[in-house]
Amino acid sequence: MLTHQSYYKSELIKNLKNRIEDMKDDLVYAHSTIDHSDYKFRVGMIHGLQIALDACDDVETELNKR
């Protein structure tokens, strides 16, 4: 059985991954209608969400060391 904290973590990671995939899809489908600054913003958002996922992994690694 998952604890509340474990469930929260798994749902957060799943949500972040879904958001990344949705934003990638939006970027692919809108590639002909967006300008350069909007493209850079969207890529930056995807990068930021990926950094958040990496931070989750880093925290879990640190906690497992203890």
Side-chain angles (χ1 to χ4, degrees):
M1 185 165 119
L2 292 175
T3 65
H4 180 73
Q5 187 175 13
S6 298
Y7 182 69
Y8 177 84
K9 183 192 91 168
S10 67
E11 289 299 312
L12 176 63
I13 289 172
K14 185 169 41 171
N15 186 287
L16 289 172
K17 287 180 180 180
N18 287 340
R19 286 177 186 235
I20 289 170
E21 289 305 313
D22 289 346
M23 292 180 87
K24 284 181 182 179
D25 290 344
D26 290 346
L27 189 60
V28 168
Y29 295 127
H31 75 280
S32 63
T33 59
I34 59 175
D35 61 1
H36 185 66
S37 61
D38 190 28
Y39 173 81
K40 285 174 50 177
F41 174 78
R42 291 176 186 224
V43 170
M45 291 292 292
I46 293 168
H47 183 72
L49 290 172
Q50 186 61 51
I51 289 173
L53 278 174
D54 294 343
C56 289
D57 291 339
D58 293 345
V59 168
E60 185 169 3
T61 301
E62 184 64 32
L63 290 175
N64 289 335
K65 288 180 183 176
R66 295 180 184 186

